[in-house]
Amino acid sequence: ELGLIGMAMTSTDKRFLHFNDRLCEILGYPREELYGKTWLELTHPDDRPKDLQRFDRIERLETDIFHTEKRFIKKDGSIVHAEVISRCVRRKGGGIDHYVAMIQDISARKQTEEKARTLRAQLLQSQKLEAIGTLAGGIAHDFNNILTPIIGYTEITKAALPVMREAGGGSIV
């Protein structure tokens, strides 16, 4: 649904010029505070280098568009994961006039993916523990199979000792 997507137009220096209410909601800024903010200052510091590379490719005329997932820092300091499609609008000479972008909040999806990764790791750990338990049970069973004849022969020998003493009167060794 289009109403769920933040939309923005930014200047060549990536300052927000026009945007919809949804973008304000996604970034947590009132409209009047979002004007003049730059794309990069709202981008998570770890994602800035890749953003700069993308914009550099556009400025070198290698592409006019990029599609990526990145993190923005909201006004309250929390992080929002977003899917971004950004495109430059060029003047006749090839220079950039402005950028347009569509931004969708994908934080819930990222949270679900993280929970799934955690559950997979927990399942793998429990499977490892189960395998160790099965192995330990198998070793115990094999050890019991080895001990059973030894215990049996020991019991037979213990039962035969009085008979052997009476018959021979001495040590069996």
Side-chain angles (χ1 to χ4, degrees):
E1 190 176 320
L2 204 53
L4 300 175
I5 296 175
M7 298 168 70
M9 180 176 21
T10 63
S11 62
T12 54
D13 65 354
K14 288 72 162 187
R15 291 193 185 283
F16 289 97
L17 301 173
H18 304 286
F19 41 86
N20 66 357
D21 290 340
R22 179 62 180 140
L23 185 65
C24 294
E25 291 172 24
I26 290 171
L27 298 176
Y29 281 89
R31 181 171 285 281
E32 60 276 0
E33 288 184 41
L34 195 52
Y35 282 111
K37 295 264 184 217
T38 66
W39 186 264
L40 289 176
E41 80 182 275
L42 298 180
T43 297
H44 189 282
D46 294 343
D47 294 343
R48 289 177 189 160
K50 286 189 179 182
D51 260 11
L52 289 171
Q53 289 172 354
R54 290 179 190 106
F55 284 119
D56 189 49
R57 288 188 64 226
I58 289 173
E59 290 169 9
R60 290 194 319 256
L61 302 174
E62 292 177 16
T63 187
D64 285 345
I65 191 168
F66 68 80
H67 181 192
T68 189
E69 289 183 8
K70 61 180 276 180
R71 295 164 292 176
F72 286 104
I73 301 172
K74 296 175 73 165
K75 182 178 179 176
D76 66 7
S78 64
I79 293 172
V80 61
H81 291 266
E83 182 174 5
V84 177
I85 299 172
S86 185
R87 179 179 185 87
C88 76
V89 176
R90 295 191 185 273
R91 294 186 292 267
K92 282 190 180 184
I96 299 169
D97 187 63
H98 62 276
Y99 292 93
V100 291
M102 292 186 295
I103 301 100
Q104 184 163 10
D105 183 348
I106 59 168
S107 297
R109 184 181 88 199
K110 287 293 190 180
Q111 212 171 24
T112 300
E113 289 171 357
E114 183 58 34
K115 284 180 185 175
R117 266 193 296 279
T118 301
L119 288 173
R120 277 194 297 275
Q122 289 173 347
L123 176 62
L124 183 61
Q125 182 66 18
S126 71
Q127 288 172 334
K128 286 178 186 178
L129 290 173
E130 182 181 2
I132 290 170
T134 301
L135 178 63
I139 290 171
H141 181 74
D142 290 348
F143 190 62
N144 189 45
N145 287 344
I146 293 169
L147 284 179
T148 298
I150 294 172
I151 292 169
Y153 286 122
T154 303
E155 291 297 322
I156 291 170
T157 305
K158 276 176 51 179
L161 275 178
V163 174
M164 294 172 82
R165 283 198 184 126
E166 289 176 14
S171 170
I172 56 172
V173 183

